[in-house]
Amino acid sequence: MQNFISLEQIDSVAQTIRKQISIQPIVGIILGSGLNGLADSVQNAVYIPYGDLPNFPVSTVHGHAGRFVIGELEGKPVFVMQGRIHYYEGYTMGQVTLPVRVMQRLGIPSMIVTNAAGGVHPDFEPGDVMLITDQLNLMGMSGLNPLMGPNLDEIGPRFPDMSQPYDRAYCDLARKVAKESGLTLREGIYAGLSGPSFESPADLRFLRLAGADAVGMSTVPEVIIARHGDMRVLGLSGVSNKANLDGSTITTHEEVIEAGKVITPKVEKIIRGVLRGL
Ligand code: HPA
């Protein structure tokens, strides 16, 4: 049985954080596997380990630090999640998306979400960065929508629109930043699966037929929750490996972390440029 998160639980986390910070963040940033390094460049940072927060899930995955870093990037007040919580760790969808609810209760209007993903588009190579223009909610289609359970009417409607999960103006801004920085920015649709097993060749051929360009184990639930509360979202996938549609190579978590080293500086450039443009 799902354990749904109440507004009181969300607010107790938000209030604990509020007491420790003196700025009003304008953007929440979620860092994906292997991309945690970005949080180290936050200035005037306040660090809040997840373990210090009431009823807060702690990330168990190697490559995920597990704390909020609140401070400034490019002079803009940011609320960075260094290490995310994944459904495959055994948490409920409510726990996985609690950080986004906390952002909403802290009055943060925008979110930048990043992830490591397998490149399903045949042209994508490890190290590429993909602007997420839309998403396939495969978890939700099989009954794992994070909005199931009592609706939090104070935050958003029972049946929220999902016609623009990724903000078009933010997409344009990211394209402009990439162009100005001389970075190749791929674009496409991110398919969210629960993991933790990587996909079989048949899974991958199915995903490609369904229109996916990248596949990963996160992001989609967080974006649904963000849009429920009307946050504007920018999404970036770092392509850590080529999805192998014919089963001739294997995929490992080590490869994902290793590719993060190439991807992090590119993602950082785009995020910094976007922050400057906000
Ligand atoms: N599949 C799913 N999730 C991933 C992958 C992948 O190939 N690479 C990084 N995260």
Side-chain angles (χ1 to χ4, degrees):
M1 183 58 198
Q2 279 267 16
N3 175 20
F4 301 113
I5 303 267
S6 66
L7 204 58
E8 291 69 34
Q9 279 174 287
I10 301 164
D11 283 344
S12 74
V13 175
Q15 277 155 18
T16 308
I17 294 172
R18 172 73 70 210
K19 281 185 204 140
Q20 296 178 55
I21 61 175
S22 53
I23 56 169
Q24 171 60 48
I26 59 162
V27 187
I29 304 177
I30 301 181
L31 298 176
S33 300
L35 306 176
N36 279 315
L38 192 63
D40 299 329
S41 39
V42 173
Q43 293 178 305
N44 305 319
V46 171
Y47 300 95
I48 307 179
Y50 301 156
D52 288 0
L53 295 166
N55 299 313
F56 203 87
V58 177
S59 177
T60 59
V61 193
H62 172 68
H64 285 260
R67 62 183 183 181
F68 287 114
V69 182
I70 302 128
E72 283 164 22
L73 265 179
E74 297 297 318
K76 301 282 162 69
V78 292
F79 181 86
V80 182
M81 205 186 163
Q82 190 176 29
R84 64 143 62 77
I85 293 125
H86 299 83
Y87 184 70
Y88 62 70
E89 293 174 76
Y91 294 111
T92 63
M93 277 289 166
Q95 290 175 306
V96 167
T97 55
L98 175 59
V100 183
R101 287 299 194 208
V102 169
M103 290 177 197
Q104 289 168 335
R105 297 303 275 180
L106 287 172
I108 301 174
S110 301
M111 179 171 89
I112 300 176
V113 61
T114 70
N115 58 56
V120 180
H121 191 292
D123 294 346
F124 289 3
E125 295 295 334
D128 281 352
V129 178
M130 183 188 92
L131 174 70
I132 310 176
T133 53
D134 202 349
Q135 66 185 21
L136 269 167
N137 179 15
L138 292 169
M139 292 186 247
M141 288 179 200
S142 50
L144 285 176
N145 194 300
L147 290 170
M148 283 171 72
N151 186 52
L152 299 179
D153 297 326
E154 296 84 350
I155 298 182
R158 171 77 289 187
F159 302 106
D161 172 68
M162 214 46 67
S163 61
Q164 200 180 142
Y166 297 89
D167 189 88
R168 292 201 189 114
Y170 284 1
C171 285
D172 283 343
L173 181 55
R175 289 182 187 108
K176 181 167 160 273
V177 168
K179 200 168 176 205
E180 285 169 2
S181 320
L183 281 175
T184 302
L185 184 60
R186 307 288 198 167
E187 293 193 15
I189 296 169
Y190 175 92
L193 274 63
S194 72
S197 49
F198 289 113
E199 300 72 36
S200 71
D203 287 333
L204 291 165
R205 289 193 297 269
F206 165 80
L207 292 173
R208 186 64 194 142
L209 275 176
D213 297 297
V215 58
M217 306 175 190
S218 65
T219 302
V220 169
E222 292 143 322
V223 171
I224 289 172
I225 292 295
R227 293 299 300 139
H228 179 246
D230 211 24
M231 294 174 89
R232 296 174 67 187
V233 179
L234 174 73
L236 297 166
S237 284
V239 177
S240 50
N241 55 287
K242 241 175 135 67
N244 185 240
L245 279 67
D246 64 8
S248 61
T249 58
I250 64 161
T251 306
T252 66
H253 185 60
E254 287 66 39
E255 172 179 24
V256 174
I257 299 300
E258 200 51 37
K261 293 177 189 159
V262 181
I263 295 163
T264 299
K266 298 185 189 176
V267 168
E268 175 164 354
K269 245 188 201 168
I270 296 171
I271 291 181
R272 283 184 178 278
V274 166
L275 288 173
R276 279 196 301 275
L278 285 184

